[in-house]
């Protein structure tokens, strides 16, 4: 069996969907259109490019929770196979519980050489999961990368920061996260879309990956949302007219009264 490049994907509410919360303050994912998170498209693209540049790898898309839409999109783009971890006990898991489920799912995939993920999901925006996976798996993590390449058992990347770009590298197996400055995701072609619709997605519950329900789920989460209020409708800004002095005086008055 070929070594695997596993790309982590997630279904998130479409940007234009009206989002709401369940009674337990978890996100209602059933009444919205779920799509592959945009940053995950960059992760899938990176995984596919690495496979194309280095023969002998297979790309496996992996998702925890309600991620079929994301997995189908990854398959349409060119992933070789897909795995979905689904279990009622996973509902409401925080990043620690999700990372624990994913690392145990990764243990079921033979010869994982590289794990590729987006820098942060659009619905959670934490960006902590890859680092936690690195701790659980005792593997190096190269984060916030805009380019990635493989050479002689090493993964080499360029990390983008406010202070500039830095060349980083680590021995494989390793974990990499990419930003939206990485290679632009490809559009699935018709053949890929049709094949993805028919493709079999392996579905694993917690028992299949050796995870106890007591270690995941809302009741075991380290953090919990206890209340929420709707964000107020954004009002139109006030326009200031007049000459420069008049504008400056009005701005000063506005700041004083704010």
């Amino acid at each position: 069996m070929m070594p695997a490049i596993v790309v982590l994907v997630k279904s998130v509410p479409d940007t234009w969907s009206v989002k709401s919360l369940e009674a337990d303050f978890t996100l209602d994912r059933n009444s919205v259109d779920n799509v592959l998170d945009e940053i995950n498209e960059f992760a899938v693209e990176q995984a596919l490019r690495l496979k194309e540049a280095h023969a002998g790898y297979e790309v496996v898309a992996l998702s925890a929770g309600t991620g079929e839409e994301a997995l189908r999109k990854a398959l349409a783009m060119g992933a070789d196979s897909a795995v979905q971890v689904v279990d009622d006990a996973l509902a409401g898991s925080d990043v620690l519980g999700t990372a624990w489920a994913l690392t145990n799912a990764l243990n079921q995939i033979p010869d994982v050489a590289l794990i590729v993920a987006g820098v942060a999901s659009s619905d959670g925006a934490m960006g902590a999961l890859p680092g936690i996976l690195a701790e659980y798996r005792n593997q190096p993590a190269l984060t916030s990368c805009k380019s990635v390449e493989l050479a002689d058992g090493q993964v080499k990347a360029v990390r983008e920061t406010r202070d500039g770009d830095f060349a980083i590298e680590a021995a494989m197996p390793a974990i990499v996260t990419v930003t939206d400055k990485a290679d632009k995701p490809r559009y699935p072609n018709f053949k890929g879309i049709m094949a993805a619709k028919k493709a079999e997605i392996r579905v694993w519950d917690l028992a299949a990956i050796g995870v106890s329900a007591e270690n995941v789920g809302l009741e075991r989460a380290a953090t919990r949302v206890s209340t929420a209020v709707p964000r107020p409708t954004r009002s139109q800004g006030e326009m200031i007219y007049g000459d420069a002095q008049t504008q400056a005086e009005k701005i000063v008055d506005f700041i004083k009264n704010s």
Side-chain angles (χ1 to χ4, degrees), residues 11-23 26-35 66 69:
S11 285
V12 298
D14 191 292
T15 305
W16 304 107
S17 297
V18 178
K19 304 170 186 65
S20 60
L21 300 178
E22 302 278 12
T26 57
L27 182 62
D28 177 7
R29 298 183 181 274
N30 296 319
S31 61
V32 295
D33 295 325
N34 290 292
V35 297
T66 55
E69 300 87 353

Side-chain angles (χ1 to χ4, degrees), residues 138-219:
N138 193 28
Q139 294 176 354
L142 286 65
T143 57
S144 300
C145 301
K146 67 177 185 179
S147 67
V148 182
E149 61 181 32
L150 306 180
D152 302 322
Q154 300 273 322
V155 54
K156 301 182 179 182
V158 176
R159 173 186 289 158
E160 182 180 42
T161 74
R162 294 180 180 179
D163 297 321
D165 293 347
F166 295 86
I168 53 178
E169 63 181 57
M172 294 194 292
I175 300 169
V176 171
T177 69
V178 297
T179 70
D180 58 5
K181 299 296 180 63
D183 294 309
K184 185 177 180 180
R186 68 194 66 187
Y187 288 104
N189 57 35
F190 180 75
K191 182 179 179 180
I193 293 172
M194 296 308 295
K197 288 183 178 180
K198 300 177 182 178
E200 179 182 357
I201 294 177
R202 286 175 285 174
V203 178
W204 294 340
D205 60 11
L206 292 182
I209 61 175
V211 172
S212 170
E214 296 178 354
N215 294 326
V216 296
L218 184 61
E219 294 302 319

Side-chain angles (χ1 to χ4, degrees), residues 16-252:
W16 304 107
S17 297
V18 178
K19 304 170 186 65
S20 60
L21 300 178
E22 302 278 12
D24 58 3
F25 297 107
T26 57
L27 182 62
D28 177 7
R29 298 183 181 274
N30 296 319
S31 61
V32 295
D33 295 325
N34 290 292
V35 297
L36 172 61
D37 200 349
E38 184 178 1
I39 193 63
N40 291 163
E41 295 187 21
F42 287 88
V44 173
E45 179 64 30
Q46 190 64 74
L48 295 174
R49 287 184 181 243
L50 291 174
K51 174 193 171 182
E52 292 164 355
H54 304 276
Y57 289 96
E58 65 170 341
V59 174
V60 181
L62 172 63
S63 180
T66 55
E68 184 175 345
E69 300 87 353
L71 293 170
R72 296 286 178 196
K73 180 67 177 290
L75 289 167
M77 290 176 68
D80 297 295
S81 61
V83 178
Q84 183 180 13
V85 180
V86 180
D87 198 298
D88 289 343
L90 268 175
S93 294
D94 62 1
V95 66
L96 294 171
T98 301
W100 183 242
L102 285 173
T103 197
N104 281 276
L106 287 161
N107 290 341
Q108 311 305 313
I109 301 174
D111 199 5
V112 176
L114 188 68
I115 301 167
V116 185
V119 68
S121 63
S122 62
D123 58 347
M126 294 182 65
L129 188 141
I132 296 171
L133 274 181
E135 288 295 317
Y136 282 159
R137 302 181 64 76
N138 193 28
Q139 294 176 354
L142 286 65
T143 57
S144 300
C145 301
K146 67 177 185 179
S147 67
V148 182
E149 61 181 32
L150 306 180
D152 302 322
Q154 300 273 322
V155 54
K156 301 182 179 182
V158 176
R159 173 186 289 158
E160 182 180 42
T161 74
R162 294 180 180 179
D163 297 321
D165 293 347
F166 295 86
I168 53 178
E169 63 181 57
M172 294 194 292
I175 300 169
V176 171
T177 69
V178 297
T179 70
D180 58 5
K181 299 296 180 63
D183 294 309
K184 185 177 180 180
R186 68 194 66 187
Y187 288 104
N189 57 35
F190 180 75
K191 182 179 179 180
I193 293 172
M194 296 308 295
K197 288 183 178 180
K198 300 177 182 178
E200 179 182 357
I201 294 177
R202 286 175 285 174
V203 178
W204 294 340
D205 60 11
L206 292 182
I209 61 175
V211 172
S212 170
E214 296 178 354
N215 294 326
V216 296
L218 184 61
E219 294 302 319
R220 298 296 177 180
T223 59
R224 179 182 293 237
V225 177
S226 59
T227 186
V229 294
R231 177 181 295 178
T233 303
R234 188 171 181 177
S235 60
Q236 184 176 357
E238 179 183 352
M239 301 297 294
I240 297 177
Y241 300 96
D243 56 34
Q245 182 175 351
T246 301
Q247 292 178 2
E249 292 173 352
K250 290 183 177 180
I251 291 173
V252 170

